[in-house]
Amino acid sequence: MERNDGGFDIARDETDSLISSDKVEGTAVYGADRQKIGSIETVMLTKRGGKVAYAVLSFGGFLGLGTEQYPLPWSVLKYDTGLSGYVIGLTNEQLEAAPKYGSNDRWDWNDPATARRIDTYYNPWTSALL
Amino acid sequence: MERNDGGFDIARDETDSLISSDKVEGTAVYGADRQKIGSIETVMLTKRGGKVAYAVLSFGGFLGLGTEQYPLPWSVLKYDTGLSGYVIGLTNEQLEAAPKYGSNDRWDWNDPATARRIDTYYNPWTSALL
């Protein structure tokens, strides 16, 4: 869960084309206005095929209480070297209307409607190049 | 880096088709003889396209000193519910001959020969279904 800045050489946990999951976890996420929104909590991987299904953005709350999780398509995240974090093209208001789950919400990744809802919502901000 | 067993509901960090990176990290890996070899340290993701390039198996050493890292193709890992860990089809001797890096070794993910070497080595143990 914690960002690992010390364990590896930079050539080992990130290159031009690769990044380690434990480096992604904990990385800050900024909105379209370049204000910090939260950070990446984890990355959801498909067991078969080994693809990144979603990065989970977490924000709000304190010490894990009251936080909300927003699953983002990987292609919505753009790394900004100046900010040392990911920038997404959404405003705060646009993000607040996105699919999310709080600590008491039901959330079922097994329901295909869940994935459809996320993909549909973020479609305008997903890079066509990815 | 630590396995997160408490933060999420099971339906959130793992489903039939998805698993979170922070659940993969720290999960034990067993050899063909079902003896524990080590554990997954991190997962290397491709920045473009968002695919799992490799899972990094770490073992040996103590408190991070003297450990060796073996980058494994994702499709080599099979989850075994009885062992609560991944099983790979290699014996200890076969794994020891695989590409690895110790704490003092040079390792360059940017070199295409690195990926080729890994993929070639594990080809006999890679599931054709993935």
Side-chain angles (χ1 to χ4, degrees), chain B residues 16-82:
Chain B
D16 289 346
S17 59
L18 298 178
I19 189 162
S20 71
S21 57
D22 59 358
K23 183 158 190 184
V24 175
E25 295 159 13
T27 298
V29 176
Y30 298 84
D33 59 359
R34 302 178 76 81
Q35 295 297 302
K36 184 175 171 182
I37 295 171
S39 56
I40 299 296
E41 182 171 300
T42 192
V43 180
M44 299 299 293
L45 310 172
T46 65
K47 293 182 180 176
R48 279 166 199 273
K51 286 206 255 184
V52 176
Y54 304 101
V56 180
L57 164 65
S58 165
F59 81 95
F62 180 66
L63 296 178
L65 299 170
T67 55
E68 294 192 312
Q69 272 89 27
Y70 290 74
L72 306 173
W74 183 248
S75 52
V76 166
L77 300 170
K78 303 278 165 254
Y79 194 77
D80 185 296
T81 51

Side-chain angles (χ1 to χ4, degrees), chain A residues 8 12 21 25 41 105, chain B residues 8 12 21 25 41 43 105:
Chain A
F8 291 168
R12 294 182 181 182
S21 57
E25 295 160 14
E41 182 170 301
D105 295 339
Chain B
F8 292 167
R12 294 183 180 181
S21 57
E25 295 159 13
E41 182 171 300
V43 180
D105 296 339

Side-chain angles (χ1 to χ4, degrees), chain A:
Chain A
M1 295 282 291
E2 295 299 316
R3 178 157 177 175
N4 172 7
D5 282 318
F8 291 168
D9 293 336
I10 189 73
R12 294 182 181 182
D13 73 351
E14 183 169 9
T15 71
D16 289 347
S17 59
L18 297 178
I19 189 162
S20 71
S21 57
D22 59 358
K23 183 159 190 184
V24 175
E25 295 160 14
T27 298
V29 177
Y30 297 83
D33 59 0
R34 302 177 76 79
Q35 296 297 303
K36 184 175 172 183
I37 295 170
S39 56
I40 299 296
E41 182 170 301
T42 192
V43 180
M44 299 299 293
L45 310 172
T46 65
K47 292 182 181 177
R48 279 167 200 273
K51 285 206 253 182
V52 176
Y54 304 100
V56 180
L57 164 66
S58 165
F59 82 95
F62 180 67
L63 298 177
L65 299 171
T67 55
E68 294 192 312
Q69 273 90 25
Y70 289 76
L72 306 172
W74 183 248
S75 53
V76 166
L77 299 170
K78 303 280 165 253
Y79 194 78
D80 184 296
T81 50
L83 290 169
S84 297
Y86 294 106
V87 177
I88 60 177
L90 289 80
T91 63
N92 263 342
E93 291 69 30
Q94 287 166 332
L95 185 67
E96 277 165 17
K100 67 180 171 197
Y101 45 97
S103 31
N104 298 315
D105 295 339
R106 288 171 55 92
W107 185 264
D108 186 1
W109 285 117
N110 277 324
D111 183 355
T114 301
R116 261 201 311 273
R117 205 153 50 93
I118 298 166
D119 295 342
T120 302
Y121 189 83
Y122 286 101
N123 191 51
W125 299 281
T126 302
S127 165
L129 295 174
L130 294 171

